[in-house]
Amino acid sequence: MTLLILGLAIFFGIHSLSIFREKREILINKIGALPYKGLFSVVSILGFVLLVIGKGRAEFIHIWQPPVILAMVTKLLMLFAWILMVAAYIPSNAKRIIRHPMLLSVKLWALAHLLINGDLASIILFGSFLAYGVIAMISANKRSEWLKPDPKPFYMNIVVIVVALAVYVGVAMHHAQLFGVAVI
């Protein structure tokens, strides 16, 4: 459990710089934008690797037994989470409706996994991501006014959905190999 918590602390520690903009700007001014991005990436990857290894090695401490019906709810939430994640990176009209599709995606992903996992390590992992998503979204909304992007062609919305469906199916099919838990 220690490795999981250390990984979460490192991962969210570096990501908290996006919330504390003044500290972020001071660091960028000291070391430069490119070194900052490199440092951010390396520390993020280190934290992520540690939290993944830590989650895999964590003792299974049963807290609650999720009802079977939540498996279907989780699958539906994950479909929307993937659509939002893809919409954050492929230009479509989603950003005209949803201000922060990636953060909303992370929150849905975390919520979906909290619903279906009743062990302590999962609650810590997914609860941390959900809390971060909430805090990051509030911070981002306070930082600036929402400037909606220009409309995109309708077919780009279809592209987002098709790509998201492909990723969703691919991850679902290989979830056991990737994360040790079969979902289909």
Side-chain angles (χ1 to χ4, degrees), residues 4 33 48 94 99 102 126 157:
L4 169 62
F48 189 77
R99 185 171 180 182
M102 187 179 72
F126 301 120
N157 303 330

Short mmCIF file of all heavy atoms in Angstrom, two decimals, residues 4 33 48 94 99 102 126 157:
data_model
loop_
_atom_site.label_atom_id
_atom_site.label_comp_id
_atom_site.label_asym_id
_atom_site.label_seq_id
_atom_site.Cartn_x
_atom_site.Cartn_y
_atom_site.Cartn_z
N LEU A 4 1.75 2.39 -3.51
CA LEU A 4 0.58 3.02 -4.13
C LEU A 4 0.44 4.46 -3.66
O LEU A 4 0.28 5.38 -4.48
CB LEU A 4 -0.69 2.23 -3.79
CG LEU A 4 -2.03 2.90 -4.15
CD1 LEU A 4 -2.15 3.12 -5.65
CD2 LEU A 4 -3.19 2.05 -3.64
N ALA A 33 10.62 26.66 -20.18
CA ALA A 33 9.40 25.93 -20.51
C ALA A 33 9.68 24.49 -20.93
O ALA A 33 9.00 23.56 -20.47
CB ALA A 33 8.62 26.65 -21.61
N PHE A 48 3.13 7.57 -11.90
CA PHE A 48 2.15 6.64 -12.49
C PHE A 48 2.63 5.20 -12.40
O PHE A 48 1.88 4.30 -12.00
CB PHE A 48 1.85 7.03 -13.94
CG PHE A 48 0.72 6.26 -14.53
CD1 PHE A 48 -0.59 6.56 -14.20
CD2 PHE A 48 0.96 5.21 -15.40
CE1 PHE A 48 -1.65 5.83 -14.74
CE2 PHE A 48 -0.08 4.47 -15.94
CZ PHE A 48 -1.40 4.78 -15.62
N ALA A 94 -17.68 18.83 -29.12
CA ALA A 94 -17.81 18.48 -27.70
C ALA A 94 -17.36 19.62 -26.80
O ALA A 94 -17.99 19.90 -25.79
CB ALA A 94 -17.02 17.22 -27.39
N ARG A 99 -16.87 22.01 -21.10
CA ARG A 99 -15.69 22.87 -20.98
C ARG A 99 -14.39 22.08 -20.81
O ARG A 99 -13.37 22.43 -21.37
CB ARG A 99 -15.89 23.84 -19.81
CG ARG A 99 -14.78 24.84 -19.69
CD ARG A 99 -15.12 25.90 -18.67
NE ARG A 99 -14.05 26.86 -18.57
CZ ARG A 99 -14.03 27.88 -17.74
NH1 ARG A 99 -15.05 28.07 -16.94
NH2 ARG A 99 -13.02 28.71 -17.70
N MET A 102 -11.58 16.28 -20.79
CA MET A 102 -10.63 15.33 -20.22
C MET A 102 -10.84 15.19 -18.71
O MET A 102 -10.85 14.07 -18.18
CB MET A 102 -9.19 15.74 -20.49
CG MET A 102 -8.23 14.65 -20.03
SD MET A 102 -6.51 14.99 -20.32
CE MET A 102 -6.19 16.24 -19.13
N PHE A 126 -8.88 5.12 -6.95
CA PHE A 126 -9.91 5.78 -7.75
C PHE A 126 -10.52 6.98 -7.02
O PHE A 126 -10.88 7.97 -7.66
CB PHE A 126 -10.98 4.76 -8.17
CG PHE A 126 -10.40 3.63 -8.97
CD1 PHE A 126 -10.49 2.32 -8.53
CD2 PHE A 126 -9.72 3.87 -10.16
CE1 PHE A 126 -9.94 1.27 -9.26
CE2 PHE A 126 -9.16 2.83 -10.89
CZ PHE A 126 -9.27 1.53 -10.44
N ASN A 157 -17.65 14.96 -35.03
CA ASN A 157 -18.30 14.35 -33.87
C ASN A 157 -18.38 12.83 -34.05
O ASN A 157 -18.17 12.06 -33.12
CB ASN A 157 -19.71 14.90 -33.68
CG ASN A 157 -19.72 16.40 -33.51
OD1 ASN A 157 -18.77 17.00 -33.02
ND2 ASN A 157 -20.79 17.03 -33.95
#
